[in-house]
Amino acid sequence: QDNGSAAGPFELLVQAFGRPKYSEFDPTLLVFLTFPAMFGFMIGDVGYGVLYAAIGFFMYSRFDGAFRELGSVAMLAGGFTILFGIYFGIDLFGYHAYQLLPGDVHWPVAGKGLSPAYLDWGLSFLFVSVLFVIVHLNIGHVLSFV
């Protein structure tokens, strides 16, 4: 495992599941491309994203080795959590902060799936998640086969 500076910290996550053999595909790049985005999609809150990024920055700036790498991963995951938190209605620790904006602001995605009237939104997010998992697993199986 000898990845570039951007994907390098994600080697720690790959090693947590088992280091690939020399003859196997190194999945670090795929983990780098998918883990932070799916983490942000799962959490989707600006407040938590700021906390993850701040803790990651603290770890990145104060420690060396594995803690520094985990700090880098946490900063990137926190950034995606902030982005999805904004997309989901500027969620701030579970509160839709878009409601604090002046005027009658309608956030198209906020609250979707939380009430029976918006059941289709919840089902669509569930469908996207399951579809992503199926594609992700099949890519892993194809790479393992190759």
Side-chain angles (χ1 to χ4, degrees), residues 102-116:
D104 186 25
V105 178
H106 174 70
W107 206 268
V109 181
K112 305 299 188 210
L114 299 178
S115 66

Side-chain angles (χ1 to χ4, degrees), residues 50-70:
V50 169
L51 284 178
Y52 292 135
I55 291 169
F57 180 74
F58 174 78
M59 292 172 66
Y60 183 80
S61 62
R62 301 287 174 130
F63 298 104
D64 288 330
F67 282 112
R68 182 178 175 94
E69 292 175 358
L70 281 176

Side-chain angles (χ1 to χ4, degrees), residues 4-146:
S5 60
F10 289 85
E11 292 175 1
L12 185 65
L13 294 178
V14 172
Q15 291 173 8
F17 291 102
R19 185 184 300 263
K21 299 176 189 174
Y22 287 108
S23 61
E24 294 178 338
F25 177 77
D26 180 10
T28 304
L29 183 62
L30 291 177
V31 173
F32 165 69
L33 294 174
T34 58
F35 178 79
M38 290 314 294
F39 185 88
F41 182 77
M42 179 180 65
I43 305 296
D45 191 290
V46 174
Y48 288 117
V50 169
L51 284 178
Y52 292 135
I55 291 169
F57 180 74
F58 174 78
M59 292 172 66
Y60 183 80
S61 62
R62 301 287 174 130
F63 298 104
D64 288 330
F67 282 112
R68 182 178 175 94
E69 292 175 358
L70 281 176
S72 177
V73 170
M75 285 191 297
L76 194 55
F80 274 95
T81 303
I82 292 169
L83 290 175
F84 276 103
I86 292 169
Y87 175 70
F88 292 144
I90 313 177
D91 281 357
L92 192 61
F93 298 111
Y95 180 75
H96 294 304
Y98 78 93
Q99 297 169 342
L100 300 175
L101 296 174
D104 186 25
V105 178
H106 174 70
W107 206 268
V109 181
K112 305 299 188 210
L114 299 178
S115 66
Y118 297 115
L119 183 61
D120 290 339
W121 277 91
L123 291 175
S124 67
F125 284 141
L126 181 63
F127 177 77
V128 167
S129 299
V130 170
L131 182 67
F132 178 84
V133 167
I134 290 170
V135 169
H136 197 261
L137 283 174
N138 282 316
I139 289 172
H141 288 306
V142 167
L143 291 174
S144 177
F145 177 75
V146 171

